Amino acid sequence: MQKDASLTLITGRRGSGKSTRAKAMTKGKPKVVVFDPLDEYTGGKIVKCYSLPEVGRAIRRLYGRGFAISYVPRAGGEAECLHRLTSALWQVQSPYEDGRDARKLTLVVEEMDLSFPSHKLPTEFSGMSNIVNRGRHVGIEVVGVTQRPAQVSKTFRGNVLTTYVFPLAEEDDQQAMLKRLGKRWKEPLRTLANHHCLMAENGQVTAFRQSKSGLLTPVSLRT
């Protein structure tokens, strides 16, 4: 079994379409956990949890047939809660590391600037850094979602394979993303409409329009 897992960044102002993209990317995944500070993930097969013990019980109950869990952390404690969650998920994925379960786990981190910020965290909050740097060994892929990419840890931004950039409100966030996209995309990014995005992957940038269901259709933008 090839042990790998992707890191994806989705960024954009409120209402631009970023959460629709995240939900489309997780559809059909066998094991999904959403770190959901704003309590936005509801409906369908989503199991809502408000504590880590609840998350653990839900995973144990549903593990065999797969699960989709939304964990709402306590306000103001996002960084510590994400550290504790990621440390626990590493243990959950030990069967993958041992070759006993080929299913990857998808971790969606909404409002990532709150829980994995650009400023230095206490050294004991190392769970998320471990996932970014070594999560492929246990099959944990991460989708980071934020309105403020400039305020997300460079550890994450520097390791992502794919970046989806929807319209951004702040100039410093636009500048941060132009380092990924390239300066030629400055004007298209500045004038990008809601539900349109620029996808950067393997050194290539492609423009898309996104439907309400999350379907992406390529479009042409003048650079």
Side-chain angles (χ1 to χ4, degrees):
M1 180 175 62
Q2 183 179 4
K3 294 183 176 180
D4 61 359
S6 62
L7 302 177
T8 302
L9 175 64
I10 305 173
T11 184
R13 66 193 178 210
R14 182 173 296 279
S16 62
K18 62 186 184 300
S19 290
T20 298
R21 176 92 304 262
K23 292 173 182 177
M25 290 182 64
T26 58
K27 188 175 181 180
K29 298 283 188 178
K31 295 186 284 187
V32 178
V33 176
V34 181
F35 188 80
D36 188 13
L38 300 184
D39 198 359
E40 293 181 321
Y41 283 68
T42 58
K45 296 181 179 179
I46 289 282
V47 177
K48 185 75 66 174
C49 298
Y50 293 91
S51 70
L52 281 174
E54 284 185 75
V55 173
R57 288 192 293 270
I59 290 177
R60 287 192 293 271
R61 185 174 75 252
L62 300 169
Y63 187 88
R65 63 180 183 269
F67 52 80
I69 294 168
S70 165
Y71 168 44
V72 182
R74 59 182 173 84
E78 291 87 0
E80 179 181 3
C81 289
L82 182 61
H83 158 69
R84 293 178 61 202
L85 174 66
T86 49
S87 298
L89 293 180
W90 190 284
Q91 298 303 314
V92 168
Q93 282 297 97
S94 60
Y96 181 97
E97 187 174 22
D98 297 340
R100 294 179 285 120
D101 186 348
R103 296 176 300 169
K104 296 177 185 178
L105 185 151
T106 303
L107 171 63
V108 178
V109 182
E110 286 277 354
E111 308 297 328
M112 187 177 249
D113 53 293
L114 298 178
S115 55
F116 199 42
S118 56
H119 63 263
K120 188 175 181 180
L121 292 172
T123 55
E124 62 268 24
F125 292 177
S126 60
M128 187 61 193
S129 291
N130 287 339
I131 295 295
V132 170
N133 292 320
R134 299 170 51 235
R136 64 187 182 279
H137 298 297
V138 292
I140 298 179
E141 56 186 18
V142 181
V143 179
V145 187
T146 182
Q147 296 183 55
R148 301 301 314 275
Q151 296 180 13
V152 169
S153 170
K154 290 184 178 179
T155 299
F156 184 76
R157 284 192 280 139
N159 282 281
V160 298
L161 173 64
T162 306
T163 304
Y164 292 94
V165 185
F166 289 84
L168 291 162
E170 301 296 332
E171 184 174 352
D172 59 336
D173 294 318
Q174 294 177 21
Q175 292 300 319
M177 289 297 92
L178 285 173
K179 291 179 181 179
R180 176 78 168 167
L181 299 169
K183 292 183 178 180
R184 65 189 290 257
W185 292 96
K186 180 178 181 179
E187 188 61 18
L189 177 58
R190 188 186 69 81
T191 58
L192 201 61
N194 281 348
H195 310 295
H196 288 66
C197 68
L198 301 173
M199 183 190 77
E201 186 176 65
N202 296 324
Q204 301 294 318
V205 178
T206 308
F208 292 99
R209 180 177 68 252
Q210 179 173 253
S211 70
K212 291 181 179 179
S213 65
L215 179 66
L216 293 178
T217 302
V219 296
S220 296
L221 296 178
R222 181 176 298 176
T223 60

